Amino acid sequence: MNRSSRTAAAALTAAGILAGAWPADGASTAARAPAAHDRVLWGAVTIPPGRDGIVEAAGLAGPALGAGATLTLTAPAGTRVTGVPLDAPGYRGAVAADGRSAAYTAASAERPWRAGTFPFVLAVPADAVPGTRPSGCVLRLADADGTPRATGGCQVTVGLAEPVLTRPESGVPLGARPVVAGTAHPGAQITVADQDGHEVCADTAGADGRWSCAPGPALPAGPNRLQATAVLNGVSASSEQIQITVGEIAPPR
């Protein structure tokens, strides 16, 4: 089956400025991103249930911190840190045994924290509800004595897994109103569109995740593409496209 993917990995860049403290009003980063004048470590990422995503602390600047300084991320409630995949000399990473936190320590890097990005892999449980935002993510940069030099957090949004188109089959001549079917997160609203972005049909995924619909107006004869988009609780995801042909396939010349 010939498919062209439009999926993307969940990732982010958290731009940090090592000069400030937490916003004076005590607002959680799970509720809002800080304004420019707040000057805190911050990031945001969307991760579908049962998947991993990457939080990257980047653009760090401010007072010089030497060897022994640490950058720590505490995972938001219900999630776990599963990796510290930094591939750069001068740092060592470690994940806590319970997955609640992870840290990078500057071992021998020259002017640590001044270049590159510092990724933390977060895992969202399979039963997480799309559209929710687990609270409690904390980023903290401390010097070798353990004194905090900057704090902040990240906003993790539970995303939506991409729906899957199981019908019609690519490469098979179709009638003008073929049944379109697939799977998606239970309860998600499904809209199927053609190659021009016109809505073909729509349905709601059942408790078992299955959905199906058929076009109202007839599809035009000839080659086309179909793609399903799922929406639930304010988050969305799109399937891979499938190539279809309405009518008979012309014989090769």
Side-chain angles (χ1 to χ4, degrees):
M1 185 177 295
N2 181 20
R3 295 174 180 261
S4 58
S5 175
R6 291 184 58 185
T7 60
L12 71 118
T13 296
I17 302 176
L18 307 187
W22 200 242
D25 60 7
S28 167
T29 54
R32 67 172 179 87
H37 63 269
D38 285 335
R39 299 175 68 81
V40 298
L41 300 170
W42 170 254
V45 65
T46 298
I47 308 174
R51 304 274 187 87
D52 293 345
I54 296 177
V55 176
E56 290 183 322
L60 304 178
L65 298 178
T70 58
L71 176 64
T72 303
L73 180 140
T74 300
T79 69
R80 296 174 61 249
V81 191
T82 59
V84 279
L86 178 66
D87 183 16
Y91 300 93
R92 62 177 183 272
V95 177
D98 60 1
R100 289 296 303 133
S101 66
Y104 286 108
T105 300
S108 59
E110 182 178 356
R111 296 174 61 80
W113 319 115
R114 297 304 185 90
T117 59
F118 303 91
F120 298 88
V121 181
L122 287 177
V124 170
D127 60 354
V129 178
T132 58
R133 292 177 173 173
S135 61
C137 180
V138 177
L139 282 165
R140 177 179 182 269
L141 183 74
D143 61 23
D145 296 326
T147 302
R149 294 299 188 92
T151 59
C154 67
Q155 178 175 282
V156 175
T157 301
V158 180
L160 196 61
E162 302 87 351
V164 176
L165 281 168
T166 57
R167 293 181 62 186
E169 185 176 352
S170 184
V172 176
L174 304 172
R177 294 184 175 85
V179 173
V180 186
T183 58
H185 194 96
Q189 303 295 311
I190 308 297
T191 302
V192 179
D194 64 14
Q195 63 187 7
D196 297 317
H198 299 143
E199 181 176 325
V200 171
C201 60
D203 195 21
T204 300
D208 61 356
R210 298 181 182 276
W211 59 269
S212 66
C213 58
L219 295 176
N224 208 327
R225 293 191 303 271
L226 297 179
Q227 184 175 42
T229 298
V231 178
L232 181 65
N233 297 335
V235 292
S236 64
S238 295
S239 72
E240 294 181 338
Q241 295 180 340
I242 61 170
Q243 309 287 336
I244 64 167
T245 299
V246 175
E248 295 184 0
I249 298 178
R253 295 181 179 179

